[in-house]
Amino acid sequence: MIITSIEALRRRLLLSRMRGRTIGLVPTMGALHEGHLTLIARARAECKDVVVSIFVNPIQFNQPEDFAHYPRTLESDARQCSEAGVDVIFAPSAEEMYPCYLAAGDIGGAPLATFVDVPTLGDHLCGPQRPGHFRGVATVVMKLFQIVQPDFAYFGEKDAQQLAVIRRMVRDLNVPVEIVPVPTVREADGLALSSRNQRLTAEERKIAPMLYRALGIAAAGGVEKAVEFLQSEPRIRVEYLEVVDPVDMQPVSAEERPVLIAIAAWIGKVRLIDNLLVPA
Ligand code: AMP
């Protein structure tokens, strides 16, 4: 069942809650792949009612081109959700989520007067490169939590900084939801599944697994070796390769344990991220 209005979704979920059914939420931006489906399968196994939100959130994009080109495939997403036993797809318009939103496609403007910000966790990694991104993510996830009021919400470790921001937000603001992290799903050659992979050319797709290999090199032999390895391929432009604490996302020495090694790199016009947790 696809629901596009907040009011209709609330009505549907009120019934679930009255019957004492646990609600699991899987927030996505659509263009579903095996990574998303793994989150959904986990929610299906653990909750009575599974809600998948599909919303390309304008306020977390800082490049109009990225927002415009983000794949939108609601029909095939709906088919995959139904095969995966999803109870409700929540697919609101931008205007439904941001009633003050001026015109479709406008990612500037002032869609809200209230935002959720977790600034210290956004100091490093993707934060400096994508101003306002994590504020946009935290705000829309908080809105989804208020709308759906899930018992459990599922997030991929692929977006480790996003996961850390959401966990901190939930803790700081006493949001009554349990955050469930799900390990990164990869292609056989190591490339982390991402909706953005679709935009790689065949040649770019061949070199994309170098990002994950670089993380392994960094874990074993240091960040410099990993950067050298990536510099051997001129079509890859590294944005960052950093070692941080897995909880507060602050830089730490590569010898510490546990650490998260995270990378963002451009391959042609596509920006990809990945990370590796090196446990204690
Ligand atoms: P997105 O639609 O890209 O915003 O992703 C929605 C959710 O799916 C987020 O919690 C992501 O971390 C998660 N996700 C995306 N790709 C993967 C993957 N390869 N493995 C596991 N989870 C993923």
Side-chain angles (χ1 to χ4, degrees), residues 47-263:
C47 305
K48 287 272 190 227
D49 270 345
V50 176
V51 180
V52 172
S53 62
I54 297 182
F55 180 57
V56 184
N57 176 32
I59 71 165
Q60 72 186 66
F61 284 82
N62 46 339
Q63 289 200 338
E65 205 203 312
D66 192 22
F67 180 66
H69 288 116
Y70 201 87
R72 290 160 170 87
T73 55
L74 186 59
E75 238 176 71
S76 94
D77 292 348
R79 204 176 332 109
Q80 295 187 70
C81 282
S82 126
E83 283 164 14
V86 168
D87 298 286
V88 178
I89 297 174
F90 178 50
S93 65
E95 288 76 8
E96 180 72 2
M97 290 295 275
Y98 304 112
C100 305
Y101 196 67
L102 300 174
D106 175 11
I107 64 165
L112 297 169
T114 309
F115 293 90
V116 181
D117 208 355
V118 192
T120 51
L121 271 70
D123 278 354
H124 295 276
L125 310 182
C126 292
Q129 306 294 335
R130 306 191 66 188
H133 169 68
F134 288 114
R135 185 173 89 148
V137 169
T139 302
V140 80
V141 169
M142 184 58 120
K143 279 170 74 72
L144 289 168
F145 285 172
Q146 300 294 343
I147 293 165
V148 176
Q149 296 179 33
D151 300 283
F152 299 90
Y154 296 80
F155 290 87
E157 288 174 355
K158 150 104 187 339
D159 298 277
Q161 194 172 17
Q162 165 174 291
L163 176 60
V165 164
I166 301 300
R167 281 178 145 159
R168 188 62 199 253
M169 172 187 87
V170 161
R171 204 175 90 197
D172 284 354
L173 299 182
N174 307 93
V175 187
V177 59
E178 186 173 326
I179 304 300
V180 184
V182 179
T184 302
V185 180
R186 299 179 180 282
E187 302 279 8
D189 60 12
L191 176 65
L193 266 56
S194 164
S195 309
R196 291 192 165 92
N197 295 352
Q198 295 179 20
R199 293 179 54 209
L200 296 169
T201 64
E203 284 306 305
E204 290 166 352
R205 171 64 189 81
K206 277 191 204 148
I207 58 171
M210 287 176 70
L211 268 55
Y212 183 55
R213 281 176 54 203
L215 292 170
I217 294 171
V223 169
E224 271 135 54
K225 273 201 183 150
V227 172
E228 264 169 40
F229 167 70
L230 290 168
Q231 279 169 346
S232 70
E233 174 45 74
R235 285 167 294 183
I236 297 182
R237 185 168 64 79
V238 178
E239 196 178 270
Y240 65 74
L241 178 56
E242 276 189 74
V243 181
V244 296
D245 176 274
V247 175
D248 67 15
M249 299 284 126
Q250 298 302 304
V252 290
S253 110
E255 286 75 48
E256 268 185 48
R257 294 289 179 271
V259 290
L260 184 83
I261 306 175
I263 186 171

